[in-house]
Amino acid sequence: MKISLGPLQYYWPRSTVFSFYEAMASLPVDIVYLGEAVCSRRHELRLADWLSLAEQLAAAGKQVVLSTQVLIESGPELGTLRRIADNGRFLVEANDMGAVQCMEGRPFVAGPHLNIYSAPTLALLAQAGAMRWVMPLEMSAAGLAAVLRDAPPGIETEVFGYGRMPLAFSARCFTARQRNLPKDDCRFSCIDHPDGLLMETQEGQPFLVLNGIQTQSARVYNLVGELDAMRAAGVGVVRLSPQSAHTADIVQLMHAVLCGTLTSAQAAERMRALMPAAPCNGYWHGKPGQELHAA
């Protein structure tokens, strides 16, 4: 099973982003997804910068995939989407059906936000050019097995296996709203929250994380204990989502489990000190997402 690094979901300073991916180049990551998938107002890096990083990572032996924005709201955003689709060099992850249309039959990765919950839907996207698909985060292991029983031949399956889960996107920027700022004058508030802005209940319990127009889980989805089950089910790639600290350590622990030099229980225990919040894996077991169940 291969390890992928999903697109950066947060807004980090330019120098931090470049340093982060320079470190990733030497790690046992097979696939790296690059690009701004959340908000087009995040201008620390432009498309040319992402392409420059893509070339560097490709030279280091990584398969690079350019991720498209999930929620397209304006003409300039559509123009960027078309430039990504027409880049002619790197594979593209399509995160909405507009991106699928822009690919015009060329190979692409069907991202998790396309919400593929059935084999006929997967077959339709495979006919459109999908060569890999990412399972929706809310899907259970049983749901995945049902899809894969009738999946079109040759398509690769990827599962989001670590990170705060991107649950929803909105036209409103919640991070700006928290500061009583309008979305069009957000003052780039996201950059002050490198792992998102935690929202708690009135009882002080972690509930959700605000990340601009994106809402994430407060807990960290961690399927390190399910790697054997994934492999048995036919999953080819496990996706890790970048966080502001300890991403390299998380990659190494996941890789050690895949190589058999560390048990999943040992890795899960070591990961607890490296995570920004407590772990969860409920969706995989068909339970509420914030719950944690034994493998």
Side-chain angles (χ1 to χ4, degrees):
M1 190 185 298
K2 294 177 283 191
I3 294 176
S4 73
L5 190 67
L8 176 60
Q9 303 196 66
Y10 306 107
Y11 191 29
W12 294 350
R14 176 187 174 88
S15 59
T16 301
V17 175
F18 274 86
S19 297
F20 175 82
Y21 285 110
E22 182 179 356
M24 294 301 107
S26 60
L27 293 178
V29 173
D30 304 284
I31 306 164
V32 180
Y33 292 81
L34 294 176
E36 181 52 62
V38 178
C39 179
S40 63
R41 289 184 60 80
R42 297 176 175 181
H43 288 160
E44 288 285 306
L45 276 73
R46 304 283 186 168
L47 179 56
D49 298 311
W50 290 115
L51 290 171
S52 176
L53 282 171
E55 292 291 354
Q56 295 174 33
L57 289 164
K62 314 300 182 186
Q63 182 192 47
V64 175
V65 185
L66 301 179
S67 294
T68 68
Q69 195 171 317
V70 175
L71 186 61
I72 303 295
E73 298 183 86
S74 68
E77 291 173 357
L78 180 58
T80 299
L81 169 60
R82 286 172 173 155
R83 289 195 296 275
I84 293 172
D86 295 336
N87 81 90
R89 171 78 168 87
F90 300 105
L91 193 63
V92 172
E93 178 186 48
N95 280 312
D96 84 322
M97 289 305 294
V100 173
Q101 185 176 13
C102 285
M103 292 308 298
E104 298 178 338
R106 291 167 292 191
F108 66 91
V109 177
H113 306 292
L114 292 183
N115 296 322
I116 303 167
Y117 288 99
S118 69
T121 302
L122 183 57
L124 182 68
L125 287 163
Q127 291 173 9
M131 43 77 68
R132 178 161 68 238
W133 73 293
V134 186
M135 184 187 86
L137 280 76
E138 300 92 341
M139 183 178 278
S140 66
L144 175 64
V147 172
L148 293 183
R149 274 196 296 269
D150 297 314
I155 192 166
E156 191 172 37
T157 299
E158 182 171 346
V159 170
F160 186 101
Y162 178 88
R164 277 185 163 139
M165 295 179 283
L167 300 174
F169 293 80
S170 170
R172 170 170 287 187
C173 177
F174 300 110
T175 307
R177 180 62 180 162
Q178 186 265 342
R179 294 186 175 182
N180 291 319
L181 297 171
K183 179 181 178 182
D184 292 339
D185 185 24
C186 65
R187 302 177 192 174
F188 309 107
S189 301
C190 292
I191 206 165
D192 296 329
H193 306 285
D195 285 303
L197 176 61
L198 180 65
M199 183 168 64
E200 298 178 331
T201 65
Q202 291 183 336
E203 293 75 26
Q205 297 298 313
F207 178 45
L208 296 169
V209 164
L210 305 181
N211 180 37
I213 67 170
Q214 183 192 69
T215 303
Q216 298 180 325
S217 62
R219 288 177 174 258
V220 179
Y221 202 53
N222 189 356
L223 296 184
V224 67
E226 312 296 341
L227 293 177
D228 287 341
M230 286 187 206
R231 191 175 304 178
V235 174
V237 184
V238 58
R239 175 180 293 205
L240 315 184
S241 189
Q243 60 187 37
S244 65
H246 309 303
T247 300
D249 298 316
I250 297 295
V251 169
Q252 296 285 14
L253 288 170
M254 195 73 73
H255 182 255
V257 175
L258 290 174
C259 291
T261 58
L262 204 64
T263 68
S264 59
Q266 290 171 327
E269 183 61 31
R270 295 184 190 182
M271 282 181 178
R272 284 182 178 268
L274 307 174
M275 300 163 65
C280 65
N281 62 7
Y283 282 143
W284 179 260
H285 295 275
K287 304 292 184 181
Q290 65 179 351
E291 294 183 2
L292 181 65
H293 296 265

